[in-house]
Amino acid sequence: MRFQVLGPLTASVPLPSAAQPRRLLAVLLARAGQFVGRDTLVDELWPDGAPSSAAAVVQVTVSKLRKTLSPGLGAAEAGQRLRSGRRGYALTLEPGELDADEFLALLSSGADDRAQRRRALERALACWRGDAFADVAGGPLLEAHKLWLEDRRSAALLQLVELELADGDGRSVVERLDPVVAARPADERFAARLAAALGAVGRRESALEVLRRTRRALWDEAGVWPGADLTAVYRRIAGTEWTTPGPPAQLPPAVPDFTGRAAELADVARALRGPAPVVLHGAAGAGKSALAVQAAWRARRRFPDGQLTASLRAEDGTPAEPAAVLTGFLRRLGATPAELADRAGLAGLWRGYTADRRLLVLLEDAASEAQVRALLPSGPGCATLVTARRELPGLCGARAVRVPELSTEDARALLAAIAGEPRLQAEPEAAHRIVRHCAGLALAVRIAGVKLAARPGRSVADLAARLADDRRRLDELTAGDLGVRAVVTTALRGADVALLGLLAAFGTAVPDWCAAALLDLPLDAARDRLDDLAAAHLLTPAGPRWAVPPFVRLVLAEHPGEVDRAALRRACETALACAEHARGRPAPGLPRPDPAVVRGIAADPAAETAHLAAAVRLAGAHGWHELTERLADACTALAGTPWLGHAARAVSVLGLAAARRRQDPRAEAEKLYNLGAVHGQHGHWQRAQAYFVMAEHRYRALADPQGTGAVLAALADVHLDGGDPLTAEAELREALVLLRECGDRRGQAAAAAQLGSLAEDVGDVRRAIESFEVSMLLARECDDGREHDQAAKRYADVLRRHGGQDQAADLLAGALGGAVRARERHWEAHVLRSLGDLHTEAGETADGERFLTRSLALFEQIGHRHAAAYTHRSLAEARRRAGDPAGARRHLLLALEVFRELRDRRGAGYALLGLGRTQAGEGAVTEAERLLRTSAELFRRLGFPLWELRALRELDAVTSGSPDRDRTREVLTKIRT
């Protein structure tokens, strides 16, 4: 019987075709004559995990093999080849029955004659028909045996080719090794012998190509360079040393705490697959070098001929000479001193050396396209990675990858990687402040992390407080030779610092038309100057606006230089002219604005509010009092009612200060009124009342009925929200008289509408409707229809709550159209909320939610948290009616939080009423009773009997037989319908 395993498994008898019997036979042949344990056989047959019936399957498989190998013999009979025992199973073979035994015997034959040894090795290798056990997949035992046999085969082949080389039979060596090396290019032993044989038969270029191919394979597969044997063969064939002990590997070490930049790394990795240069550009300190090095290390395996690195900026900050960089590169690629002596021929020499190589070239701090262009390798297998402040658009086919500011998440992750995550988790708010003060600049985040790590005993909050001070932030962001100030100062060399200083003076993003005014240039010419600064990442574009980055602004503030006051005044006057023309008011004595700019401001007034506020601050700082006052008025008028935030208060205060310096009592009264309105919008009712009272005194002293009436109407709102409806009604009635005296129909319409809302709040619905009818009549006589739409909206709210849904719907539809036409997003949001309430109360909750969601989005967009809270309350009712009490509760809690923060007791009463109603619907009687009692008590203190009655009725429904019914009857006597 004959078995062959040096190739596919075969035998002189028919073998089973199934995989399991063949695998079992292969294992037994690998351990011929030895017992193989049953557990070992199970592991070999099922290397990925055996089934529960594995032992039985092995027994059945052995039985089948016995019938094949020893037909007609029982398991224990003499002559049985497949024996069983306590230690497992063993296969008995006779000498000469296994080809592997024959191979090993020939391999170990001790022939003294070289010719006999060659013939023995040739016969041994002739036993092989392919890979050992080529068609059998085994477990660990069989795979180890395969490797051992293959290793013996390689040893035999190596011995044979060395004998053939010694006999000068290079042609035989080439025939034997050519297919072997093609299949296994990273095997240095065979590659060295094949190259030697090719050299011996006169095929020098083929020999060198084999050596180069092996060097690339070694790098691709294992990341190593050729060993001494292969290097010696190269030296002998090429007649020179190999370029280096290995290809140049000049990449700087990658930072161990590199964080984020996933999108940029992916972009660079894709771009490096082609020969076009990849330019990483970004602001000073953005982390371009760290990103480039990280990307280069990830890609280096694709460039087996090496990686070259050079800085293109000299130590003194001047651009490096390309010739000096080329000399260094060529020296590392093996260029001789004689070749390098010809300075004029360096470019051609570089192209020649890189034509057939696969090199990665990293060039840092490039100053210009010409500097990079001279250093680009010529070979299609090469790649170039460049870092630069600018995009370098002149590089043909270059792929530009912008390195932006770190996201908040990536900046915090980098800070944690340096300072330690536990440190940040202990003070999360302080860590967030540090990240914010670093403004996304990677260098700033790194320095902050280093300072925290170096001072483990100091709190995170301490560093956050130091960074919060603009005057010392640059001092704090210095550690060793790292400093934000230094890199930003270097970036500013040669830049248009004068323009940057003028733009930074505004402290906010500046529109391009303002830059044109600063420069006294046409808009297109100004944009060219802005584009140049943005290309150097010294200015951040945001549509038609331009912002000076925070750290550039801080560095400029340390070296202010001489301020061009004329340019700043020209820009402020242009801002005033644009705002006045957008309001339809001519501005004599001011620069004539660009009509396109005016149209843009008129279309979206809120978009220019921040810039106008900055102009107010700038004019005030330079003592231009009249200009400050006029800018403050224009800013307030253009922004309208929904203008909130610190800027609104600051602008009003600056306007008031300017009016007082000019000793203009009428202007002072107007500014006091504006300040009262701003504080009222924030829910600061006591401050609002103080300013309104001062404004009232000024207007009365001026005998100005129109101004006095407007202030009295504003004071009525304050007193109404403070729970004093009687004083509020008296103020509104006096306001109506004063406004009637001076013929101010717009003011009368607004005051009558306020009186109507107050009448409903105190339970006099009939008088409320009468007041709104008067308001509507007065509003119709106003020119722009705005007052009519606002009165219609407020009237509609009363009608829908008292059975007039159809009329309310008509009024709201008209009011919405007017708000959309006037592009008043704030008023549009109010009308949408009323429409949402109308649909919700009619049972159309889906339509109601659609209107309310749009209303909420508009309020949040313009930053009106107070109004947004009322929309949350309306959405809660829609969710409750739609059967979603959890959603209703979520909206109400959001609303209640804002109402309490702004001390809006009326809003809090509404939210508590809604929460009580929701809890009652879920059966939480005790909690519902508590909430409804609190709501009723709030409305009682405010003097709103109608809303108190609603809360009491809900309370009676929850607690039947409650003594609150007496209070309900008492409240009913106060309500007149």
Side-chain angles (χ1 to χ4, degrees), residues 810-880:
D810 292 340
L811 290 172
L812 289 172
L816 181 62
V820 172
R821 285 191 297 274
R823 298 182 178 178
E824 292 186 339
R825 293 179 299 162
H826 169 257
W827 187 242
E828 180 185 350
H830 278 294
V831 178
L832 286 167
R833 184 174 66 208
S834 294
L835 278 166
D837 289 337
L838 180 68
H839 282 279
T840 297
E841 290 163 5
E844 301 163 350
T845 55
D847 288 336
E849 281 199 68
R850 181 166 54 84
F851 284 113
L852 292 170
T853 301
R854 173 61 180 156
S855 168
L856 181 63
L858 284 172
F859 281 135
E860 289 178 341
Q861 184 180 349
I862 61 179
H864 201 327
R865 293 177 61 233
H866 195 192
Y870 276 93
T871 305
H872 275 298
R873 173 213 169 207
S874 297
L875 275 166
E877 181 62 15
R879 285 283 82 214
R880 186 184 73 83

Side-chain angles (χ1 to χ4, degrees), residues 26-36 90-93 98 101:
V27 175
L28 295 173
L29 287 169
R31 292 290 184 268
Q34 304 175 29
F35 278 97
V36 181
L91 179 62
T92 302
L93 295 179
L98 183 62
D101 289 343

Side-chain angles (χ1 to χ4, degrees), residues 30 105 129 168 208 218 277 359 390 392 498 519 555 560 604 632 687 696 726 773 815 824 906 926:
R129 300 169 292 110
L208 293 175
L218 286 168
L359 286 167
R390 294 176 176 271
L392 304 183
L519 295 167
V555 171
D604 190 6
R687 292 184 214 168
E696 179 192 358
L726 293 177
E773 290 291 349
E824 292 186 339
R906 181 199 305 213
T926 303

Side-chain angles (χ1 to χ4, degrees), residues 738-813:
L738 291 170
L739 295 167
R740 192 178 300 119
E741 284 179 5
C742 64
D744 183 357
R745 296 192 178 278
R746 179 177 284 104
Q748 291 178 67
Q754 282 181 262
L755 198 58
S757 295
L758 185 151
E760 189 204 12
D761 285 336
V762 300
D764 194 342
V765 179
R766 183 178 304 152
R767 186 155 57 89
I769 291 174
E770 291 173 355
S771 295
F772 274 114
E773 290 291 349
V774 169
S775 174
M776 298 280 285
L777 288 172
L778 289 166
R780 284 193 185 96
E781 299 182 22
C782 297
D783 296 334
D784 57 6
R786 185 171 182 267
E787 290 299 333
H788 179 271
D789 288 337
Q790 294 191 6
K793 184 268 178 193
R794 300 175 74 172
Y795 187 16
D797 287 338
V798 174
L799 290 171
R800 68 176 174 77
R801 286 193 287 263
H802 299 283
Q805 282 82 2
D806 291 342
Q807 187 180 356
D810 292 340
L811 290 172
L812 289 172

Side-chain angles (χ1 to χ4, degrees), residues 149-461:
L149 286 173
E150 292 290 348
D151 186 61
R152 305 311 300 152
R153 180 189 186 184
S154 295
L157 181 58
L158 197 60
Q159 290 180 38
L160 179 58
V161 298
E162 285 180 343
L163 289 172
E164 290 175 335
L165 283 172
D167 291 340
D169 192 359
R171 196 173 302 279
S172 294
V173 174
V174 171
E175 291 176 358
R176 289 185 191 281
L177 293 187
D178 212 14
V180 175
V181 173
R184 295 154 59 183
D187 193 318
E188 289 187 77
R189 300 170 303 168
F190 291 125
R193 273 70 178 180
L194 176 58
L198 287 167
V201 298
R203 296 171 59 185
R204 180 176 178 275
E205 287 304 317
S206 297
L208 293 175
E209 178 56 32
V210 167
L211 293 169
R212 284 193 290 265
R213 190 169 67 236
T214 299
R215 186 172 70 167
R216 286 196 296 267
L218 286 168
W219 181 252
D220 289 342
E221 295 182 16
V224 298
W225 307 120
D229 288 348
L230 209 65
T231 303
V233 173
Y234 181 87
R235 185 188 307 116
R236 188 169 63 250
I237 295 174
T240 182
E241 292 291 337
W242 222 331
T243 307
T244 62
Q250 289 190 309
L251 291 181
V255 292
D257 47 28
F258 184 85
T259 304
R261 303 292 195 195
E264 291 79 13
L265 281 171
D267 284 347
V268 175
R270 285 191 294 269
L272 286 177
R273 295 187 180 277
V278 182
V279 180
L280 293 178
H281 63 100
K288 301 182 293 295
S289 292
L291 174 60
V293 170
Q294 187 75 19
W297 273 101
R298 295 187 180 194
R300 66 189 287 265
R301 289 289 182 87
R302 298 206 307 272
F303 302 97
D305 292 318
Q307 305 88 43
L308 296 167
T309 303
S311 173
L312 301 188
R313 186 176 62 192
E315 291 184 4
D316 61 358
T318 59
E321 286 294 329
V325 177
L326 279 180
T327 299
F329 282 175
L330 287 165
R331 183 178 293 117
R332 286 171 178 81
L333 291 178
T336 64
E339 290 176 314
L340 296 175
D342 181 13
R343 302 278 290 181
L346 287 177
L349 189 64
W350 170 246
R351 288 193 294 270
Y353 264 82
T354 57
D356 296 319
R357 282 182 165 89
R358 291 162 63 188
L359 286 167
L360 175 60
V361 179
L362 173 59
L363 304 173
E364 297 199 66
D365 292 319
S368 67
E369 290 92 339
Q371 195 184 27
V372 173
R373 199 177 288 120
L375 301 172
L376 295 177
S378 62
C382 298
T384 308
L385 187 55
V386 184
T387 67
R389 297 268 167 78
R390 294 176 176 271
E391 189 176 328
L392 304 183
L395 282 181
C396 183
R399 170 75 167 88
V401 177
R402 180 174 174 266
V403 182
E405 298 81 7
L406 287 171
S407 66
T408 300
E409 294 77 12
D410 284 351
R412 191 200 176 281
L414 177 57
L415 189 67
I418 301 170
E421 181 63 36
R423 188 92 173 272
L424 302 192
Q425 286 183 350
E427 299 179 73
E429 288 301 321
H432 178 73
R433 291 199 301 275
I434 287 177
V435 168
R436 188 174 70 249
H437 293 319
C438 289
L441 193 72
L443 178 61
V445 177
R446 177 167 296 282
I447 294 172
V450 167
K451 298 195 87 165
L452 287 175
R455 300 167 184 172
R458 186 171 291 179
S459 69
V460 178

